[in-house]
């Protein structure tokens, strides 16, 4: 029998919504909070359609309320018709996926994906709201649509998980419909999905076998611990309706491949319906939180430092190239290659645009034979010759000639200066 809904609490009121302007810019991409600051853990609830994510969210919410630690809740499923909990931020307040379907001429799946893509463009504001509440909550729960491909290949899934995970400790709860995975083939395909999400997000992972009130998950644990038991189940039950079992050898080898994957995650059995397994689930979340801090966070900081170093190097290289293009070799930061004036001073110290004083460049231009006329008459004669030439080639009239500035966009050219 399902527990009654959690008592209303202040944090359950849908407070600030993503559609409202953020008061401050987000710190998405900032370093995770340092020691001493309280950090909630974000639980991303992902799973196939109908696996029970939304019902589980309600159960998590009610369990955490009973422990006096109400969570902060995000709903990222634009198509949910009945939401049994109150979300603090709900994608449906920002995007109407049916409107998206009409405007982009899409079916339901495309509509949901596009709605999420549109919402992703606002995700920095969403994170801003979450971060503001970070000091007051222990858990941030995120419900997601059953279109699991969002997290296996769509850009928005990757942007969302990366943005959250670089801002707060994040773990993935991968929900499995246990009664529907009793066949070895379905079990294997579900595990392959889970595996691809694990490797895509590289976040601490919890396999959540839901609906254990209908089917206990012991068989799944056995298959994960001992591949021979999985092979035995395949031999016994892996035949299709025609008695064929040619899939078996493929799945038999897959289970060996997945052994490594099984070792790197934790599995719990829960029931959103009866509330069974909640304590074990949150113990697994706390354990995964620790793994985030020991494994994921240092890696995140290393990647961030590497990215910043690369950006700094690219900036120096661009500056160097710009100075070279302007005819000023020896730009950039290298002091040894910078020319000095006759007085032995580094001219870049006073001239931010390059090592040579402007007059030097003008002198160099006038010293060029082609640009130099002995008299004003000679200059006028050259000008008239040029204009006659232009009259003979009206198509080359200066106003019509377009110039490109060397970019990749050939359609982006500019009128020649007159
Ligand atoms: N028996 C049983 N039924 C469950 C349990 N959890 C969810 N259900 C049922 O499974 C169905 C799907 O549940 P949802 O929570 O809507 O599943 P979902 O994963 O959010 O579905 P999508 O949002 O469409 O992907 C509902 O009929 C639930 O009542 C459970 O633990 N036990
Ligand atoms: Mg749902």
């Amino acid at each position: 029998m399902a527990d009654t809904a959690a008592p209303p609490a202040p944090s359950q009121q849908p407070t600030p919504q993503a559609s409202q302007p953020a008061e401050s810019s987000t710190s998405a991409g900032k370093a995770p909070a340092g020691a001493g600051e309280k950090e909630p853990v974000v639980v991303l609830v992902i799973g196939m359609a109908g696996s029970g994510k939304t019902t589980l969210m309600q159960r998590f919410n009610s369990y955490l309320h009973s422990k006096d630690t109400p969570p902060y809740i995000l709903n990222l499923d634009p198509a949910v018709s009945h939401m049994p909990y109150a979300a603090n931020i709900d994608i449906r307040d920002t995007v109407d996926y049916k409107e998206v379907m009409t405007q982009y001429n899409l079916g339901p799946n495309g509509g949901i994906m596009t709605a999420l893509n549109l919402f992703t463009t606002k995700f920095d504001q969403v994170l801003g709201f979450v971060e503001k509440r970070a000091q007051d909550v222990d858990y941030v729960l995120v419900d997601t649509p059953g279109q699991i491909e969002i997290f296996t290949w769509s850009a928005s899934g990757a942007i969302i998980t990366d943005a959250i995970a670089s801002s707060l400790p994040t773990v993935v709860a991968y929900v499995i419909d246990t009664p529907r995975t009793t066949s070895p083939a379905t079990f294997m395909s579900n595990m392959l999905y889970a595996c691809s999400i694990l490797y895509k997000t590289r976040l601490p992972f919890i396999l959540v076998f839901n609906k254990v009130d209908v089917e206990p998950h012991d068989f799944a644990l056995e298959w994960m611990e001992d591949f021979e038991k999985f092979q035995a189940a395949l031999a016994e039950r892996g035949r299709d309706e025609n008695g064929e079992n040619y899939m078996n050898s493929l799945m038999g080898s897959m289970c060996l491949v997945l052994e490594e994957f099984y070792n790197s995650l934790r599995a719990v059995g829960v029931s959103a319906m009866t509330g069974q397994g909640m304590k074990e689930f949150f113990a697994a979340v706390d354990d995964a939180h620790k793994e985030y801090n020991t494994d994921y966070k240092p890696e995140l900081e290393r990647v961030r430092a590497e990215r910043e170093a690369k950006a700094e190097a690219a900036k120096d290289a661009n500056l160097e190239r710009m100075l070279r293009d302007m005819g000023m070799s020896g730009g950039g930061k290298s002091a040894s290659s910078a020319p000095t004036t006759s007085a032995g001073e580094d001219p870049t110290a006073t001239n931010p645009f390059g090592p040579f004083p402007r007059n030097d460049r003008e002198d160099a231009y006038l010293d060029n034979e082609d640009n130099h006329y002995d008299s004003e008459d000679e200059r006028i004669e050259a000008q008239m010759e040029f204009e006659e030439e232009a009259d003979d080639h009206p198509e080359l009239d200066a106003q019509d000639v377009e110039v490109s500035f060397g970019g990749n966009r050939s359609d982006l050219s500019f009128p020649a200066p007159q």
Side-chain angles (χ1 to χ4, degrees):
M1 181 63 198
D3 283 1
T4 49
S11 71
Q12 262 193 308
Q13 302 309 316
T15 40
Q17 301 295 345
S19 47
Q20 295 167 349
E23 283 164 37
S24 64
S25 64
T26 179
S27 54
K30 72 163 194 182
E37 276 181 59
K38 187 175 160 187
E39 276 185 321
V41 55
V42 181
V43 183
L44 278 175
V45 181
I46 299 177
M48 299 228 184
S51 54
K53 300 177 289 298
T54 304
T55 321
L56 258 181
M57 288 282 294
Q58 179 201 19
R59 176 60 61 182
F60 294 156
N61 185 28
S62 122
Y63 176 81
L64 291 174
H65 270 91
S66 75
K67 298 278 165 204
D68 261 353
T69 51
Y72 193 78
I73 300 187
L74 265 71
N75 169 43
L76 297 184
D77 185 355
V80 63
S81 54
H82 168 64
M83 217 167 60
Y85 55 86
N88 296 81
I89 296 178
D90 189 342
I91 185 174
R92 296 176 305 167
D93 294 326
T94 311
V95 202
D96 176 354
Y97 93 104
K98 287 200 174 138
E99 187 60 30
V100 173
M101 279 169 64
T102 321
Q103 286 200 16
Y104 290 80
N105 202 12
L106 294 165
N109 282 332
I112 291 169
M113 295 265 288
T114 309
L116 197 62
N117 286 344
L118 292 170
F119 190 68
T120 304
T121 62
K122 298 239 176 201
F123 210 71
D124 55 340
Q125 291 181 31
V126 174
L127 270 183
F129 289 128
V130 177
E131 282 169 1
K132 267 193 218 155
R133 293 292 302 276
Q135 292 291 311
D136 312 327
V137 294
D138 290 336
Y139 298 94
V140 177
L141 306 178
V142 185
D143 193 6
T144 63
Q147 278 71 11
I148 207 165
E149 59 272 26
I150 287 169
F151 294 93
T152 48
W153 63 264
S154 146
S156 59
I159 292 170
I160 288 173
T161 49
D162 287 358
I164 297 181
S166 59
S167 172
L168 289 169
T170 307
V171 306
V172 172
Y174 184 81
V175 183
I176 296 166
D177 188 332
T178 315
R180 287 211 188 153
T181 44
T182 50
S183 124
T186 330
F187 176 81
M188 183 54 69
S189 84
N190 221 326
M191 288 301 127
L192 288 173
Y193 256 117
C195 183
S196 71
I197 291 175
L198 171 73
Y199 286 107
K200 190 101 199 248
T201 61
R202 284 177 295 148
L203 287 169
F205 211 82
I206 307 167
L207 282 184
V208 186
F209 288 97
N210 188 29
K211 309 192 186 181
V212 293
D213 56 301
V214 178
E215 177 81 48
H217 68 304
D218 307 330
F219 72 92
L221 295 181
E222 267 184 7
W223 289 351
M224 286 165 65
E225 272 157 24
D226 186 348
F227 74 90
E228 281 179 3
K229 289 203 170 135
F230 180 76
Q231 307 241 7
L234 267 181
E236 198 184 311
R237 295 191 265 163
R239 290 171 195 276
D240 63 20
E241 58 275 14
N242 302 320
E244 301 283 352
N245 68 352
Y246 54 82
M247 280 267 287
N248 286 9
S249 65
L250 171 68
M251 285 191 288
S253 15
M254 291 309 285
C255 81
L256 293 176
V257 174
L258 288 182
E259 221 183 347
E260 177 67 30
F261 161 72
Y262 294 150
N263 288 337
S264 62
L265 42 87
R266 26 191 103 56
V268 288
V270 300
S271 166
M273 216 44 118
T274 64
Q276 187 184 331
M278 286 302 116
K279 195 163 166 246
E280 291 76 9
F281 173 76
F282 282 99
V285 169
D286 292 342
D287 190 43
H289 185 176
K290 286 191 195 112
E291 187 192 322
Y292 173 95
N293 284 332
T294 52
D295 295 358
Y296 187 87
K297 199 165 149 184
E299 175 67 8
L300 186 77
E301 276 158 10
R302 189 189 61 75
V303 170
R304 183 178 292 127
E306 217 173 76
R307 203 169 43 220
E308 278 166 11
K310 264 192 199 151
E312 191 62 29
K315 214 164 75 187
D316 285 350
N318 281 343
L319 183 65
E320 182 90 33
R321 203 172 51 234
M322 189 187 81
L323 292 175
R324 239 197 343 264
D325 289 352
M326 289 166 74
M328 305 171 206
S329 59
K333 286 187 172 171
S334 165
S336 58
S337 62
T340 51
T341 62
S342 52
E345 297 158 352
D346 176 1
T348 53
T350 49
N351 179 4
F353 298 106
F356 299 110
R358 185 165 179 266
N359 286 347
D360 288 0
R361 277 181 278 140
E362 280 183 4
D363 291 346
Y365 176 81
L366 291 173
D367 284 346
N368 185 338
E369 283 287 308
D370 294 341
N371 302 326
H372 188 70
Y373 304 105
D374 286 334
S375 66
E376 183 61 10
D377 287 350
E378 207 174 297
R379 195 192 63 74
I380 291 171
E381 199 180 320
Q383 173 77 21
M384 283 169 65
E385 261 175 37
F386 175 80
E387 281 172 7
E388 269 168 32
E389 182 111 331
D391 285 346
D392 291 344
H393 300 91
E395 74 278 11
L396 289 182
D397 188 334
Q399 287 173 33
D400 296 333
V401 175
E402 291 194 319
V403 293
S404 129
F405 291 125
N408 295 327
R409 297 277 307 264
S410 55
D411 54 329
L412 273 189
S413 51
F414 304 85
Q418 293 182 41

